[in-house]
Amino acid sequence: MPDIVRVNMRSGEITRHDNKGYELLGGRALSARLLLDEVDPTCEPLGAFNKLVIANGIFAGTPASSGSRTSIGAKSPLTNGIKEANVGGNFSWILGRLGIRAIVVEDLPQNDHAHVLIVTPDEIKLEVRDDLKYLGTYDTTNKLLEQYGKNASVLCIGPAGERMLRAASVAVSDPQGELKFAARGGLGAVMGSKGLKAIVAVGGKVNKIKYHDQEAFMAAARKYTTALATSDKVVNVTQKLGTNSIFKAVNAMGALPTRNFSQGSFEYVDNLSGETLYETIVKRGGEGRTGMTCMNGCAIKCSNIYPDENGKKICSTVQYENVALLGSNCGMTNLDDVARLNHACNDLGLDTIEMGATIGVAMEMGLAEFGDVEGALKLFQEIYDNTPLGRILGNGALVTGEVLGCRRIPVAKGQAFAGYDPRALKGNGVTYAVSPMGADHTAGNCFGARNEVDPLGTTKQGDLSRNTQIKITTLDCLGICMFARPPLFAEPELLATMVNALLGTELSVDDIWQIGYDTIKMERQFNLAAGISPAQDKLPEFVYTEKLEPTGSVFDLSPEEVSKGIVE
């Protein structure tokens, strides 16, 4: 039975106990349950009574492909509601094999030191590491990996998190030492409020995972992994173009964020496409790579390293959301500029989606010109320098837009829209409006169903969003990447078989999907108690009134249609 580790940052006390009562909960479900049980929903997000929950899914550390993602949860300083941010890397792979299901970080420190939690097979301890204070995520990770070796994974924050900026993210190292980000909701600021700079998980040969029926689990895992690894889309698209393979498709449907969401398509689409990304990486060679894994045993391999003209790494990984928000939304016309902005976000420990929307707002209000990469980098320098302007920008799109007097602020529940304009992908508009997560595409992205439900239609959007939210949330609870969904959604019996073989349960497919349903209900219950009423299940006024070219669409769903997306 995996354990829950509790770390009190005020006393320094560390306790470890089994997860009795939470045996069937992992990832997002466990985070939601612990927060609902233990955190006052009306507490201050950066105060003593909030808790940071770092939880892995049911499959963490097993051979199930793409099944060792990490969920980070807390009350969000950005949305003022419950939040879960999901990330790859090998952190949860190691924790799972060490017999740990979650780390709960509690209270506030009595000093301003930078602390690092070290988790090894033999001990768990807190150390003061002021040499890491205000270091970027890259230097922080490199220093700790040099110290603890190739069997370690680092989870850390950058200067933005330490300064408790609401757009701050949490970085996690992957098997190659590259960084992935639990980006959304400002959870890096919560970690910073706790005085926790980093957690290092050190693995090795230890494997405490116990299977009820190991043979049955391995058979189902092999079938699922084989279906994923041999998929034509995975082999010929995802492993080459990465998640940016959809850039042209989103542009073609008129949903691509462009110049602060003022348009839905971009005239320089070819320059930023997944095809150009792949061709550039291959042509430049050097440190550039495609088809990289972000966690142990992942068959999808959608990560990459984007190099400069001399083959030196600029950034890893350049993904669709980063290209859409830092690229077309800021008017950038080439991938080199996007990669430079992406690197700055990563090093500061900031959410690229939130910051792409923020810089877009700042550009509209005259702080830089659209397409001016040097002007955008100067704005990031303001955040590095911790100036008043930098702190405004680092607190996200809503704060920045309100301070600057912008009328087009692309947020829902305080959080920036992801890379799909809700006027042209209306199912996502429902998700942005009603999900407890706010404007987060990972809560229920309807893009994959665009050939089944008309993205511009005014019917079926609520049901599509609701069903997608439930299924994606279930994957979050199990620790599975959403890009692994095709074989699992086609044959969900594989999920039930793996869960039952691992835990000794007798869950049906309906029981598996119930996990996601129950999790969202808990999250909505938390938000209601936090004061986030159904009146806030809406989008900003500009999407209802301002036509989006080239389709000329607005978000015109009836309240009844939107309400169908609510899980309650």
Side-chain angles (χ1 to χ4, degrees), residues 165-303:
L165 301 180
R166 291 181 177 91
S169 61
V170 179
V172 176
S173 66
D174 71 11
Q176 294 82 32
E178 301 296 341
L179 297 183
K180 303 296 177 280
F181 290 84
R184 310 246 55 201
L187 300 188
V190 178
M191 187 166 165
S193 74
K194 305 296 184 189
L196 188 61
K197 176 66 173 178
I199 305 175
V200 182
V202 184
K205 296 181 180 179
V206 175
N207 185 358
K208 295 185 177 181
I209 296 173
K210 295 180 180 179
Y211 300 86
H212 174 75
D213 186 340
Q214 188 166 358
E215 184 176 348
F217 181 91
M218 295 303 175
R222 279 194 299 271
K223 184 176 181 181
Y224 148 59
T225 301
T226 299
L228 195 61
T230 57
S231 160
D232 180 69
K233 182 177 180 181
V234 167
V235 173
N236 295 313
V237 180
T238 310
Q239 292 183 4
K240 292 181 178 179
L241 312 186
T243 63
N244 201 38
S245 62
I246 66 173
F247 194 84
K248 284 186 174 180
V250 181
N251 184 78
M253 67 191 294
L256 183 68
T258 302
R259 298 184 180 91
N260 189 31
F261 287 81
S262 65
Q263 300 165 251
S265 63
F266 192 44
E267 62 271 31
Y268 297 98
V269 57
D270 289 336
N271 294 9
L272 302 181
S273 69
E275 291 81 0
T276 298
L277 178 70
Y278 174 71
E279 291 164 4
T280 303
I281 293 173
V282 172
K283 179 181 178 180
R284 290 179 174 177
E287 296 176 354
R289 291 180 63 189
T290 61
M292 298 172 63
T293 62
C294 83
M295 68 182 89
N296 300 69
C298 178
I300 302 173
K301 301 179 182 179
C302 66
S303 292

Side-chain angles (χ1 to χ4, degrees), residues 210-214 216-217 496-505:
K210 295 180 180 179
Y211 300 86
H212 174 75
D213 186 340
Q214 188 166 358
F217 181 91
T497 299
M498 287 191 287
V499 171
N500 292 333
L502 180 62
L503 301 179
T505 50

Side-chain angles (χ1 to χ4, degrees), residues 434 537 544 555-566:
V434 306
D537 290 337
Y544 301 96
F555 190 76
D556 54 359
L557 301 189
S558 68
E560 292 75 21
E561 184 64 28
V562 172
S563 69
K564 292 178 182 178
I566 298 173

